[in-house]
Amino acid sequence: MALTAKAPAACTARSVKVGSRTATVMRVAAVEKPTNWTENYIKEVPVSLLRPGVDTEDTIRAKFEKVIRDAQDSICAAISEIDGKPFHQDAWTREDGGGGITRVLADGNVWEKAGVNVSVVYGSMPPEAYRAATGTAPADLEKAKAAGGRVPFFAAGISSVMHPRNPHCPTMHFNYRFFQTEDWNGIPGQWWFGGGTDITPCYVVEEDLKHFHGTYKAVCDRHDPAYFPKFKKWCDEYFLIGHRKETRGLGGIFFDDLNDRPAEEILAFSKDAVNHVVEAYCPIIKKHMNDSFTEEQKQWQQIRRGRYVEFNLVYDRGTTFGLKTGGRIESILMSMPLTSRWEYCHEPAAGTPEAEFMDAARHPRNWV
């Protein structure tokens, strides 16, 4: 059955009085897409979202799909066990090929919003999306564009953002993906892996950060000792909010356009990394989910979530690529928190825990 999708393409804002200050609180609202944008929702999720008879079990595409489907099941199970509330699931297909499984836990006991998405899609993208997908453009892209047409692509990935209620519990994001283009107008087909896991607390708790970063250092070291320092630095640089000169959170690992060794080796690394999300994150949540907090600490969490929104809408490659290629809007913008706030010229007082966080966001640290 084809349904018209809704897209959170508009926001509502209201001003609230906080002591002597006025703050803006923003909530993402849903608006109708044009009626010619349709999605096919399905009740039963197929064993595979790949093309039957084309992408066989021995292909990287099939192996990667199994990794992300298994990871979605195990991570959602672990989060539900902590929260006590199940995930809602939507399964869908795309007219151009492939589909996805979106799972969202909303208004939970521990998490305000947690989502884990899997997508396996085929299609064609406008040449302008090439840069959004790769971060760079082939030298002969302009010549290829002049020849006309669209770039055939395959993209599979798992992505997640989890926003807890308690400001002492960090937000966590992860994304692991495999992307492949076919030959197009003289530009050879390409493939690469990307991904990473990063943490966005509101406060600096060194023990927690050492645990999180230490977990991923161990993962990286099993595959290549050069990975962790490289991918940790890459994470700090990628999640920089350029117009603020501060990072979105306190790091993790990030890699993209990775194709410098056999695909099977990078697949094994990606599998190991996504399978350690629970170990890296859940002990921190269990430690803090019942911590007491003040209204001022909750307000600080809302301000940091405003920074989260700024980064995702302005800088995030996955978001911009999804919007340029007609991706499923509800899945693309699943990362948005339920509420955020912006205060005019807000700066934490010196010597406060909030100021300590800002120092770490402006001057990235090595935690392990």
Side-chain angles (χ1 to χ4, degrees):
M1 179 174 63
L3 300 177
T4 300
K6 289 188 176 182
C11 299
T12 56
R14 61 187 177 89
S15 297
V16 295
K17 199 74 173 177
V18 183
S20 60
R21 300 192 303 272
T22 299
T24 300
V25 178
M26 183 169 287
R27 176 178 287 271
V28 175
V31 297
E32 291 289 341
K33 278 185 181 177
T35 55
N36 61 332
W37 288 26
T38 59
E39 292 159 357
N40 299 312
Y41 289 84
I42 53 178
K43 291 184 178 180
E44 298 294 330
V45 181
V47 174
S48 175
L49 293 164
L50 297 170
R51 295 175 296 189
V54 178
D55 298 311
T56 56
E57 291 183 1
D58 61 337
T59 63
I60 291 294
R61 293 181 180 188
K63 293 176 182 179
F64 188 75
E65 185 200 25
K66 185 177 189 312
V67 167
I68 61 179
R69 294 279 294 269
D70 289 348
Q72 185 184 42
D73 289 343
S74 62
I75 293 169
C76 287
I79 296 302
S80 282
E81 183 178 2
I82 295 172
D83 191 274
K85 187 171 182 177
F87 281 76
H88 168 80
Q89 176 174 288
D90 285 327
W92 49 275
T93 58
R94 279 185 90 203
E95 293 181 3
D96 287 343
I101 306 161
T102 298
R103 293 180 184 169
V104 176
L105 189 160
D107 195 25
N109 298 304
V110 177
W111 282 275
E112 288 183 356
K113 185 181 180 184
V116 185
N117 293 341
V118 160
S119 63
V120 178
V121 298
Y122 304 83
S124 62
M125 61 185 183
E128 292 76 17
Y130 209 108
R131 186 181 300 276
T134 66
T136 58
D140 50 355
L141 178 61
E142 292 303 319
K143 180 179 178 181
K145 284 170 61 176
R150 294 166 63 88
V151 184
F153 75 89
F154 167 86
I158 182 170
S159 62
S160 173
V161 176
M162 301 188 184
H163 294 291
R165 292 185 178 279
N166 195 311
H168 297 295
C169 289
T171 288
M172 186 272 301
H173 158 262
F174 69 86
N175 177 294
Y176 293 90
R177 56 197 175 274
F178 175 69
F179 193 90
Q180 193 169 28
T181 64
E182 298 178 13
D183 294 348
W184 172 72
N185 288 353
I187 297 178
Q190 301 182 44
W191 63 264
W192 61 89
F193 289 83
T197 307
D198 60 279
I199 194 166
T200 303
C202 297
Y203 295 96
V204 175
V205 181
E206 290 205 16
E207 181 182 4
D208 297 344
L209 293 164
K210 287 179 179 179
H211 167 78
F212 182 84
H213 286 267
T215 300
Y216 274 99
K217 183 179 186 302
V219 169
C220 289
D221 287 351
R222 282 194 289 273
H223 299 268
D224 187 334
Y227 271 175
F228 183 75
K230 178 181 179 182
F231 294 165
K232 192 271 181 189
K233 182 174 184 291
W234 202 342
C235 186
D236 291 336
E237 293 172 350
Y238 177 79
F239 289 106
L240 177 69
I241 306 172
H243 57 276
R244 297 280 189 183
K245 296 181 173 57
E246 64 189 59
T247 55
R248 186 179 75 175
L250 296 185
I253 62 169
F254 176 87
F255 61 97
D256 214 351
D257 307 334
L258 196 62
N259 58 4
D260 63 344
R261 60 198 70 196
E264 291 281 359
E265 293 184 18
I266 307 176
L267 174 67
F269 168 63
S270 299
K271 179 179 180 179
D272 200 6
V274 74
N275 286 342
H276 279 79
V277 165
V278 171
E279 180 180 327
Y281 181 56
C282 288
I284 300 173
I285 294 297
K286 291 177 181 178
K287 177 181 174 183
H288 295 292
M289 66 186 195
N290 294 316
D291 287 0
S292 61
F293 58 88
T294 65
E295 180 61 28
E296 288 74 18
Q297 289 169 332
K298 187 67 177 177
Q299 291 167 7
W300 172 244
Q301 180 194 54
Q302 294 291 296
I303 290 172
R304 293 313 307 171
R305 286 184 175 173
R307 301 294 200 265
Y308 208 94
V309 170
E310 289 179 30
F311 176 85
N312 283 24
L313 293 181
V314 176
Y315 299 104
D316 185 69
R317 275 172 56 180
T319 300
T320 56
F321 174 74
L323 295 174
K324 286 178 180 288
T325 57
R328 184 175 185 267
I329 299 299
E330 293 290 354
S331 299
I332 296 168
L333 297 182
M334 177 207 69
S335 63
M336 295 296 104
L338 287 179
T339 58
S340 306
R341 69 186 292 125
W342 284 261
E343 291 191 14
Y344 184 71
C345 291
H346 182 273
E347 185 68 28
T352 62
E354 292 79 9
E356 170 73 1
F357 174 88
M358 289 304 303
D359 181 74
R362 289 166 176 162
H363 307 95
R365 305 175 186 178
N366 291 320
W367 304 102
V368 291

